Amino acid sequence: VRAFNAGNGYERTVVTDTAGRYGMPLMPPGEYVVFVEAATYASMSQTGLALRAGQVLTVEFALPLASFAESVQVTAALPAVE
């Protein structure tokens, strides 16, 4: 989980526990974008999160499974005919 404040460039990244919970105490006030990534899940973000001094802000995500696409290309040359 990554929080980014474009106004002052502040950024913090944390790892969730096994239940998906995370915490980012003592964040500077400002407007944040929060990005979430996890293996085998689609990435998500939430923008416009205004954090005031002393505020506890809860941001929850429900990540859908990522879709995987696989492509195989086979190329073969035909033998010359005499």
Side-chain angles (χ1 to χ4, degrees), residues 61-82:
F61 291 90
L63 299 180
L65 288 174
S67 60
F68 294 94
E70 187 172 311
S71 176
V72 177
Q73 181 176 356
V74 177
T75 306
L78 297 174
V81 177
E82 291 184 32

Side-chain angles (χ1 to χ4, degrees), residues 45-60:
S45 65
Q46 190 167 343
T47 61
L49 299 168
L51 180 64
R52 294 184 304 273
Q55 179 185 12
V56 175
L57 183 64
T58 301
V59 182
E60 296 182 1

